[in-house]
Structure formats: C-alpha cells, structure tokens
Amino acid sequence: MTHASHASTPTALRDALLAQRAELLARMAYERGGVIGRAEVAAEHYDTAASDNAQLRTERETNFAISEHETAELADIERALEHMNLGDYGTCIDCEIAIPPARLLATPTAQRCLACQSAHEVAHPQP
Ligand SMILES: [Zn+2]
C-alpha cells in the first residue's frame, strides 16, 4: 500500500459504477425478457375473474415505471463513466469546484456539490 490512488483516478468509484451498471443492465435485460409478473402468474394459476385485471394492469405499469427509473439511472452511470474518461469526473457542473470525495463515495453519479444540488432541487423539484 505504498501507492495510494491519486484523487483524479478514483479506481474504486469507477469499479463501483461499472458494477452498478452491470447489475442494472442484467436487471433490465431480465425485465425486458418477457418475465411474467407475479400478478400474471397468480391470474393464470387461479384462473381468477376480471376483478384481478386491475391488479395485473397496476403491476405492468409498475414494471414500466421501474424500467423508466432504471433507464435514467443507467444514463447517470454512463455519464459519470464518460466524465472519468474525460478526466473531469467529480467536478461540480454548476460551480466547477471539486465535489468532496465523501459525497462521490455516497453518490458516485453526483454531478453537483451539495450546495449546488440543494439549489438545483429547489429550482427543479422532483415529483
Ligand atoms: Zn457546485
């Protein structure tokens, strides 16, 4: 352990992001592979009446929402990896200071320092 990683080459963070991406891609592939939802299995198994269609529909919508979320998450990961390749990873996109390592460890896809993130969330509230 004589050679500590330089701050500008966050290998651990890159590995974390790559692992996160691999897991995400596997999950998305699994979900897009026509996996039958639990409600669907239940409906087939018990051959239930039309009253269960609402539950079925809800589950499909839920799956779709999860997929949307994962697509956004994947985009965040890809962008973070791209910034690592460009060498400007960990720089706040708003005020351009170096984002504290503790924040990057907690949120490897963070694009802003905490102050700018707070300001951004106030300006663009998430639903
Ligand atoms: Zn900032």
Side-chain angles (χ1 to χ4, degrees):
M1 285 300 189
T2 46
H3 279 38
S5 292
H6 190 270
S8 64
T9 55
T11 310
L13 285 175
R14 181 191 288 267
D15 288 349
L17 282 168
L18 288 172
Q20 205 178 330
R21 183 173 69 167
E23 190 203 320
L24 199 60
L25 286 172
R27 205 160 67 215
M28 288 167 84
Y30 182 76
E31 280 166 7
R32 286 171 187 180
V35 175
I36 302 169
R38 286 185 311 280
E40 231 157 334
V41 172
E44 273 178 24
H45 188 71
Y46 297 109
D47 194 16
T48 43
S51 63
D52 276 355
N53 285 349
Q55 192 194 342
L56 232 166
R57 203 159 50 235
T58 303
E59 176 140 340
R60 282 199 180 121
E61 280 165 9
T62 304
N63 283 345
F64 182 72
I66 289 169
S67 166
E68 287 284 282
H69 173 77
E70 284 168 346
T71 303
E73 199 180 329
L74 185 65
D76 283 348
I77 295 169
E78 298 281 5
R79 188 180 48 224
L81 288 168
E82 196 183 313
H83 281 297
M84 280 179 185
N85 289 335
L86 293 170
D88 61 356
Y89 173 75
T91 303
C92 176
I93 60 168
D94 284 353
C95 71
E96 298 184 352
I97 66 159
I99 299 170
R103 169 156 169 73
L104 291 174
L105 281 171
T107 313
T109 53
Q111 294 188 89
R112 294 177 178 84
C113 67
L114 274 178
C116 290
Q117 185 62 41
S118 300
H120 179 77
E121 281 169 14
V122 169
H124 306 92
Q126 294 296 311

